[in-house]
Amino acid sequence: MRRIQIISILLLIIALAILPLFVSTSLVNAGIQMLIAALFASAFNVLAGQGGMLSFGHAAYFGIGTFATIHAMNAFAGEGLLATPLLPIVGAVFGGISGLFAGWFSTQRSGVYFSMITLALAELLHALAPHLTSLFGGEAGIASMRMPAWGFDFGSSIHVYYLVLCWTVLGIAILFFITRTPLGRLCVGLRENAHRLKFMGYNVHRVRLLVFVVSATFSGLAGALLAMNNEAANYVLFDISLSAQVVLNAYIGGIATFLGPAIGAAAMSFFGYVVSDTTRNWLLYQGIIFVFVMMYMPTGLFSVGDWWLKHKHNHSAARLVAYLAGRLLSALLFAIGVVFFVEFLSIILNQDYQAKLQGLSEWPAVNFMGYEWLPGAAVTWIVPLLFIAAGTLGIQFLNKKWQLHQKEDME
């Protein structure tokens, strides 16, 4: 790793370590969710980004790790199978074991067939879980309590935050170390050309299975951290929405880089924390972000750093900053127009507003963004269209300007 990358990572860890000293309890809880999501996305990326095997059912191993940890917390009349700081090991072990069984079937095939098998196995578990009440607690789920250990009572969010932080950093560090081992190199070989690996004498199925087990193990570890935080688990953890969430997070961050999925997962978790209390349409916005990232930044948000390093020798820092600032401003203008459309339509299509229309000749004004807007007035729809047009034209202008600079540098 480059020295600057090592320094950046150390500074990030230090910033995460002192974060609880300066933020509210709610933000500490949000930080816990961000760390868990980052570890889960990193575990998923071992399989999808490095191994080239896209799983649509990774919530299964995450959920199994969560339930295994809850049962371990309840063992021995609530005393716990292990000391509280060590309980995530249980989730990792059971995540790995479940990954061994499911992976043996899944890795018999590759490509879309592999993806469909992982989806089918996860959906099978989701369908069976409500009926296996002794394991998953049925509709009510299973609850537990964190027990004091090693001089900590683990009753506050700050104690849980530092526990999750330690395991997240350790888990991501181990995953990075694995990428530098022969297994990690073989993992990349699977993605690039599995037929060549087979020609060289490697057992491709065995390599795929090992990669799958590693990914499932650390997914189970992430699930265990969720159990430590929530002190409860419900079978909804096996729902396909969680599997889809980790796919979106990883691709938004960028599966082409090791830390990309972790950054993407943390960013989208924070986005959900900020926006979910403001609007019911936050999942729609998340989907829109995913679509536009895939269209205009297919290698993910983390690619901005690679782009900077690639062009910093040929362009001044001021030019690069100006270009990024212009794209950010254009994206903001576009986003304002889209949010206006989505939120305004949500208001006028709401049942409460529709009930007001009974017996009225025209639609009443809507108070939105501090102004009164008439749904029947042309200006109501022209304003957001102008924002969208300004954002689109701004991005197109910047792209042409950048291409012109590139040609000048080549000449």
Side-chain angles (χ1 to χ4, degrees), residues 296-367:
Y296 299 105
M297 299 178 66
T299 54
L301 298 176
F302 200 77
S303 62
V304 174
D306 294 333
W307 174 85
W308 181 281
L309 294 175
K310 179 181 178 181
H311 296 289
K312 70 175 184 178
H313 299 294
N314 299 326
H315 302 275
S316 65
R319 175 181 290 180
L320 296 178
V321 170
Y323 179 74
L324 289 176
R327 287 186 68 93
L328 182 61
L329 177 61
S330 299
L332 180 61
L333 292 173
F334 186 90
I336 291 173
V338 172
V339 170
F340 188 104
F341 264 122
V342 173
E343 296 300 321
F344 195 79
L345 286 173
S346 297
I347 293 173
I348 64 176
L349 295 178
N350 186 276
Q351 292 182 354
D352 294 335
Y353 182 84
Q354 291 293 317
K356 298 178 182 178
L357 301 181
Q358 302 299 326
L360 296 179
S361 59
E362 61 179 22
W363 291 24
V366 175
N367 191 324

Side-chain angles (χ1 to χ4, degrees), residues 6 36-37 68 93 97 141 190 237 302:
I6 296 175
I36 294 172
V93 169
I97 294 173
L190 282 176
L237 288 171
F302 200 77

Side-chain angles (χ1 to χ4, degrees), residues 177-190:
F177 172 76
I178 290 174
T179 64
R180 294 297 187 263
T181 64
L183 176 60
R185 302 302 182 186
L186 289 175
C187 183
V188 176
L190 282 176

Side-chain angles (χ1 to χ4, degrees), residues 180-225:
R180 294 297 187 263
T181 64
L183 176 60
R185 302 302 182 186
L186 289 175
C187 183
V188 176
L190 282 176
R191 182 189 65 198
E192 299 299 330
N193 197 326
H195 295 291
R196 181 171 294 180
L197 281 184
K198 187 175 182 179
F199 178 78
M200 294 171 63
Y202 290 101
N203 188 322
V204 174
H205 176 240
R206 187 176 299 170
V207 176
R208 283 179 178 148
L209 179 58
L210 285 173
V211 175
F212 196 100
V213 170
V214 169
S215 180
T217 297
F218 286 89
S219 296
L221 177 60
L225 297 179

Side-chain angles (χ1 to χ4, degrees), residues 12 112 114 121 131 144 184 204 247-248 276 291 300 302 331:
L12 176 61
V112 68
F114 168 82
L121 292 174
H131 306 288
S144 184
V204 174
V247 174
L248 295 181
S276 60
V291 170
F302 200 77

Side-chain angles (χ1 to χ4, degrees), residues 52-96:
M53 295 179 283
L54 179 59
S55 170
F56 287 147
H58 243 50
Y61 319 107
F62 182 88
I64 287 174
T66 305
F67 277 101
T69 305
I70 290 291
H71 284 294
M73 293 168 70
N74 288 331
F76 300 112
E79 292 296 323
L81 183 64
L82 297 171
T84 297
L86 300 178
L87 281 171
I89 296 175
V90 177
V93 169
F94 276 86

